[in-house]
Amino acid sequence: FLTNAQGEDVVAGVRTPMPIAEMAEKFPEAFKQFQQVCATLENHYRDMQDMEFTVEHNKLYMLQTRNGKRTAAAAIKIACDLIDEGLITEQEALMQIDAKSLDMLLHPTFETKALADADKNNVVGKGIAASPGAAAGTVVFTPEDAVKEGKAGKKVILVRLETSPEDIEGMKYSQGILTVRGGQTSHAAVVARGMGTCCVSGCGDIKMDEANKKFELGGKVFHEGDAISLDGSTGKIYDIAIKTVPADPNSGYFGRIMKLADKYKAIEVRTNADTPADAQRAFELGAQGIGLTRTEHMFFGPGRIDKFREMICSETVEERKAALANIEPMQQADFEGLMEALKGQPVIIRFLDPPLHEFVPTDEKDIQLLAKAKGKSVEYIKQLCNSLHEFNPMMGHRGCRLAVTYPEIAEMQTKAVIKAALNVQKRHPDWHVVPEIMIPLVGEVKELAYVKKTVVATADAVIAEAGVELKYMVGTMIEIPRAALTADEIAKEAEFFSFGTNDLTQMTFGFSRDDASKFLPSYYAAKIYESDPFARLDQVGVGKLMKMAVTLGRETRPELQCGICGEHGGDPSSIEFAHNIGLNYVSCSPYRVPIARLAAAQANIKNPRK
Amino acid sequence: FLTNAQGEDVVAGVRTPMPIAEMAEKFPEAFKQFQQVCATLENHYRDMQDMEFTVEHNKLYMLQTRNGKRTAAAAIKIACDLIDEGLITEQEALMQIDAKSLDMLLHPTFETKALADADKNNVVGKGIAASPGAAAGTVVFTPEDAVKEGKAGKKVILVRLETSPEDIEGMKYSQGILTVRGGQTSHAAVVARGMGTCCVSGCGDIKMDEANKKFELGGKVFHEGDAISLDGSTGKIYDIAIKTVPADPNSGYFGRIMKLADKYKAIEVRTNADTPADAQRAFELGAQGIGLTRTEHMFFGPGRIDKFREMICSETVEERKAALANIEPMQQADFEGLMEALKGQPVIIRFLDPPLHEFVPTDEKDIQLLAKAKGKSVEYIKQLCNSLHEFNPMMGHRGCRLAVTYPEIAEMQTKAVIKAALNVQKRHPDWHVVPEIMIPLVGEVKELAYVKKTVVATADAVIAEAGVELKYMVGTMIEIPRAALTADEIAKEAEFFSFGTNDLTQMTFGFSRDDASKFLPSYYAAKIYESDPFARLDQVGVGKLMKMAVTLGRETRPELQCGICGEHGGDPSSIEFAHNIGLNYVSCSPYRVPIARLAAAQANIKNPRK
């Protein structure tokens, strides 16, 4: 609090407020009264309150109260405390936590040993611990620099006298924020907590020289580009970049809340993972399987992209098969890694999806290499690559359309999946390995049936050769409106549906994600759309198609497994919708898994599944 | 018929058959029996029969009978004859005619005077009149050349010893076909009749030298590129290119059948027309209004494209308005022309649809001109034009999205439409002019409402200023899946729906028409799709969305007018579907109007509308 001040002085961070405890000494009468009001209000709202008050002539005036904003760490601690105090039920506790905020708990912390060393040798100052987290990086002085360096992949700490709304873009690209003025409630602190970004505010010891891009602290001068670390939990500032480690979601209050979430949720949470490392991380974060593996990401690796390009530039099926045969063992190894990481849980592998021109070389050296490998002229290769250009690649020759024109690609991928599954099953007889093959961009049942024929023939041959039993599933993405509209037919061939809500949103709205940024701002300004339909699922239009597809699909195949593997799989409101329309799972990026677990629990508490 | 021959000899055209009349002399017994059988069969099938027979040892064997293939001209004559003979009803007569075949009746005929002159001076030979029509062009000898020249826009006559199935592509690009061998039933004759292409066959006088690409006829040598004309009704061959005139659909048997079609059809047939000339032609062909005017086609005209480019390169609203003000009077004049041509029938004008980069200059000279006009550097203009590039222009910044970002475009177009309507109404007080403004690419009701606000405000101001009464309508295209899915909402703002089935097909299938040609052949080969969904409406997927939109839309607004303005509006099976789902009209290109009229009648005879 502040004396002789207005409320705006606190929020703007132009003066540094005093701790509330000092009020007991300065205004004992008003403070006693304040404590009583606090108890009344917090019991009433059953949540921590953020209250504004003023004292005039020793009389207390309450100006405003609302549920207090808090860090995710505080929120889950408060929720656990309230359960333990018997004030609220487990369900109420789960409902109280903002699922999206869990994101900030997954941010890294300092490595214990490195922090201890730094505490001995590198502390240069201390400010107010305004937003928790551990940030290490190099100093920048303007939000523009933060954006520029951040985009270039550098870790930066934004140091400012104070922040204002124009700085937000720069704050997003910063690992941490350090301000000279302001307290727990100043702009920098509030925004940083909202973002889950570490912030140390109100470090008045800093002698700032913004014009010359330098500041002095603890007798040391910092220039742009110098190393620095902030501890958002202690407020300490260090003159080196301290090593950080990822957060642990399975212990403490966080672990307890996640266990509770799993107890109350009805749908599974899977992950989108393309590498064993991602899969491993997602498993630790509670993923119950892989909902989407984008196999094409594996084609860009060293020693693979060359072979894949040779495949693209083949003139005959035999040439294509020869090139693909080189990729098969690598792809199989990747699949084994994913299946190992998930320890026998379901793994859905999507077959090649993007248009082939995304793989062709643009670099002159690469083109020459490819020409040499294929024994063709550079001119020929350039022409061939150009011929792959499409007017609307999003609606072009991609997805299962590639498998229709080049069945040998699906053949190779099937072999890799089945061989991987056979190996993993052999190594772990106690696991029940059932690989799931997903055919993308299907719009017509005959198209799926055609590709499936290749997959089944290939898979059955590999299994027969191995002389063991192996169950596998073939399903499809529902990402083309026509697939949703004809889902009853599609379900005759598909053993599972996975909604590719990114593409489904594009086709349903008729706008491409890459181009929409040109006109969406006008749409927000005109209040035509209130949120980005690629971030938050459009339940009215896209959702209607999804609902239709689930209903039609299950009319044909009552046991049909349905899930989301688009980016909406990690968005709480979209997860609630997925729960409500009866999906079996959502799949999201690894760091969104805890958010999805909590959101799924909240959805089931609001609308329990029978 | 042929003696001492097999059926294949007739069909292959390797020998020239004799007229059936000669059979009466050569095989009187068998001929008498044949006449009896003919009567029995034609009475039974109530249609002209195409019969195969053989005579062995003076005994007649009937081999096969089927409804005879015939030219459209023959078909409508037969239909009229059968009505007059009281053999069939008017409805049966209409059902007997293949609507698509009417196309061939709309082909040009020789100008009377030019033909009379040519008959005196330019006849070089005569063959069998195998497929009617008038063809004038230059000689080619191979189907490959026909395709090449035809694609380049040249009018060619394909001259062959005889044709075979491999020649079909070349025949499509030819104005006429002339063969040395074959008769009425040879390959060239049958295929040409199917295509509605003029054909003179069996001209045995031709001395053919295919190897050297020349032939001799009537003492004259013809080389590739020489002028020639064929009369498919008389079999005459001329050594010049005779002037042709378009066909008249309002007289004779054709006129009678068209009147009958109008008597029995339930839905309106409108036309897609962008120029007064097109509109005029469509009116003559029986169009009952304009279902689609693509205003952007008017922006490419001389004196307009410059102004439009200046508009695109404007930095401020004022600059844009100034550039648009130059286009307004020209656009108004175009609209007046269209409204005049349709004589007070409904005219739907669609507002600007394509992405702006389709209008920017690519020619260095044009870029310089534009730079000068805007007082900017060439570099600046180039950069600006490049910035308009989109990844997926089909799903980009186009349609009503342009009106949301640049309302001044919609404003200018509204003024032009309303002022035109006021003028035309004033000139023709007996007409009831109600212009219909169509907003393209709507996906959300708020989007339509936003643009409509501009349109209504502008229109009402212009009308108020004129001090007269004028009704106008504002409707929308349904071409984005989301518009169909939320049609109940959209109908709150839209006074009519027009299905843009081209775009709706693209979005529903998730493939672009420009790119699909790369993989659709594989789809036909694998029998996944049986026909091009852009030519024949996909009733299962796209049709389901349309049905849903009509139902939802009329729940909100029972009097909602619905139609098709995509290219499917001229396809008989799609017209039948449009009739069946309760649309009010179809709109197609001018030369398809007669086809659509007949197809609409057939649809209503099969499934009468209540």
Side-chain angles (χ1 to χ4, degrees), chain A residues 275-341:
Chain A
T275 65
D278 276 358
Q280 179 61 38
R281 185 73 189 132
F283 185 79
E284 288 161 14
L285 292 168
Q288 298 169 280
I290 292 182
L292 172 65
T293 299
R294 287 160 290 224
T295 54
E296 55 271 15
H297 288 189
M298 302 172 177
F299 292 151
F300 283 104
R304 303 173 177 202
I305 186 67
D306 306 344
K307 293 296 161 195
F308 198 74
R309 286 172 178 168
E310 288 172 25
M311 191 282 290
I312 293 174
C313 295
S314 298
E315 281 174 339
T316 66
V317 174
E318 287 64 38
E319 266 185 80
R320 264 196 300 277
K321 282 191 176 177
L324 287 166
N326 287 300
I327 303 172
E328 190 197 308
M330 306 185 216
Q331 187 130 87
Q332 179 187 332
D334 289 325
F335 295 154
E336 285 187 32
L338 292 172
M339 292 174 191
E340 290 281 354

Side-chain angles (χ1 to χ4, degrees), chain B residues 54-92:
Chain B
T54 190
V55 179
E56 224 175 273
H57 302 301
N58 275 326
K59 193 171 157 97
L60 177 77
Y61 294 89
M62 295 304 297
L63 300 175
Q64 172 179 296
T65 187
R66 56 184 170 186
N67 287 349
K69 283 195 183 155
R70 60 201 82 169
T71 64
I76 60 175
K77 181 177 183 311
I78 293 167
C80 290
D81 287 350
L82 291 173
I83 295 172
D84 293 341
E85 289 167 18
L87 275 176
I88 57 174
T89 64
E90 289 174 347
Q91 291 98 316
E92 285 171 325

Side-chain angles (χ1 to χ4, degrees), chain A residues 110-120 242:
Chain A
F110 290 125
E111 204 204 53
T112 320
K113 166 99 180 53
L115 182 62
D117 288 350
D119 269 333
K120 268 184 228 147
I242 308 170

